[in-house]
Amino acid sequence: MEDSVVDGFLTEWHRLVREKDTAAIPAMLAENVAIGPPPYWNRLEGKDAVAFLLGVILSTIEDFTYRREWRNGAELALEFSGNVEGKPLQGIDLITLDSEGRVSKIDVPMRPVGTINVLIEKVTPQMMNYLESLGGDKQGEQR
Amino acid sequence: MEDSVVDGFLTEWHRLVREKDTAAIPAMLAENVAIGPPPYWNRLEGKDAVAFLLGVILSTIEDFTYRREWRNGAELALEFSGNVEGKPLQGIDLITLDSEGRVSKIDVPMRPVGTINVLIEKVTPQMMNYLESLGGDKQGEQR
């Protein structure tokens, strides 16, 4: 992985986070991007669904600010802090880039659990609506 | 921060984790080590309490295995995986070393939340017992 590819990814990633430009997320993701799934949805896969989830999370966390950053070839660890309803949140984007500098895998461990629970309460209804809007098609296919 | 200090820290840290040698934890910590506190205890500070908590967590997570590792001077990010009662856990030790190569700050974001909740259920009683054993002294001092 060339440093310039990672540099380019990080510059654009930081820009879209800073500007909450969620519309720019899909272009940063590989088609078959995988995310470590939260417990209550199993169907989350592919660029569109992962981009939607990341957009919802980014929109929900207040004062989202990147902190320490680690790079090891195509493996990145981007620490962030923020708030959810006034409760402090610390997390880290663990990102694997593909050869074209797009996210092929992302996991987002966070703490503390009290804030995670508030975040999930706020994110879940939006994800459920989104998944239902897909589910209609899938049910149709199963008939 | 010299690389050799970090190398020395990581060699010993990985050894004690591999061998679950919790008795070796205190010597790895600075006297005034800080940990990002879980929501339900506020008094957790200093080498002994942090070492106790880390020991309990290490003893509770099954199949604790370090994965990716990032280093940036004295700032380390050590990804791990494991299980708690059969549920998969992913986490990352975010560690700041002091000039002597001891942990001066450690935070441990984890996912997914379902497993975190099981872990906390198992860790809390042990921490409560530990804190109560300290609390007797502290109440005495306040009289």
Side-chain angles (χ1 to χ4, degrees), chain A residues 36 68 70 75 110-111, chain B residues 36 68 70 75 90 110-111:
Chain A
R68 288 172 289 183
W70 292 269
E75 306 293 333
M110 295 183 284
R111 62 161 291 280
Chain B
R68 289 171 289 184
W70 292 268
E75 306 292 333
Q90 177 188 23
M110 294 182 286
R111 63 162 289 281

Side-chain angles (χ1 to χ4, degrees), chain A residues 38 40-41 44 52-61 84 110 115-131:
Chain A
Y40 51 92
W41 60 74
L44 198 70
F52 185 86
L53 173 61
L54 292 176
V56 169
I57 290 174
L58 181 59
S59 304
T60 302
I61 299 173
V84 184
M110 295 183 284
T115 312
I116 298 175
N117 284 326
V118 176
L119 177 65
I120 286 180
E121 264 174 44
K122 294 176 74 92
V123 167
T124 299
Q126 298 174 70
M127 283 310 298
M128 289 304 184
N129 284 342
Y130 176 80
L131 293 173

Side-chain angles (χ1 to χ4, degrees), chain A residues 15-36:
Chain A
R15 183 201 64 74
L16 79 82
V17 167
R18 198 170 50 241
E19 300 175 6
K20 302 229 174 196
D21 179 11
T22 55
I25 295 177
M28 309 287 293
L29 306 181
E31 286 297 331
N32 58 349
V33 58
I35 190 165

Side-chain angles (χ1 to χ4, degrees), chain B residues 26 28-35 44-51 54 96 102-106:
Chain B
M28 308 286 293
L29 307 181
E31 285 297 331
N32 58 348
V33 57
I35 191 164
L44 198 71
E45 54 189 27
K47 188 168 75 169
D48 293 343
V50 172
L54 292 176
T96 303
R102 295 176 306 191
V103 176
S104 64
K105 190 164 186 305
I106 180 168

Side-chain angles (χ1 to χ4, degrees), chain B residues 12-114:
Chain B
E12 171 64 359
W13 188 262
H14 284 306
R15 183 201 64 75
L16 80 83
V17 167
R18 195 170 53 241
E19 300 175 6
K20 302 228 175 198
D21 178 11
T22 55
I25 296 177
M28 308 286 293
L29 307 181
E31 285 297 331
N32 58 348
V33 57
I35 191 164
Y40 50 91
W41 61 73
N42 297 315
R43 294 178 299 169
L44 198 71
E45 54 189 27
K47 188 168 75 169
D48 293 343
V50 172
F52 185 86
L53 173 61
L54 292 176
V56 169
I57 290 175
L58 181 58
S59 303
T60 303
I61 299 173
E62 306 138 28
D63 306 320
F64 191 106
T65 308
Y66 275 114
R67 302 291 179 181
R68 289 171 289 184
E69 177 173 298
W70 292 268
R71 297 165 54 151
N72 196 350
E75 306 292 333
L76 310 177
L78 314 178
E79 182 194 30
F80 62 85
S81 65
N83 292 282
V84 185
E85 294 191 348
K87 298 163 85 79
L89 180 71
Q90 177 188 23
I92 185 158
D93 293 329
L94 302 181
I95 289 172
T96 303
L97 296 180
D98 67 13
S99 58
E100 296 171 68
R102 295 176 306 191
V103 176
S104 64
K105 190 164 186 305
I106 180 168
D107 298 310
V108 191
M110 294 182 286
R111 63 162 289 281
V113 68

Side-chain angles (χ1 to χ4, degrees), chain A residues 88-102:
Chain A
L89 180 72
Q90 177 187 21
I92 186 158
D93 293 329
L94 301 181
I95 291 172
T96 302
L97 297 180
D98 68 12
S99 58
E100 296 172 69
R102 294 175 307 191

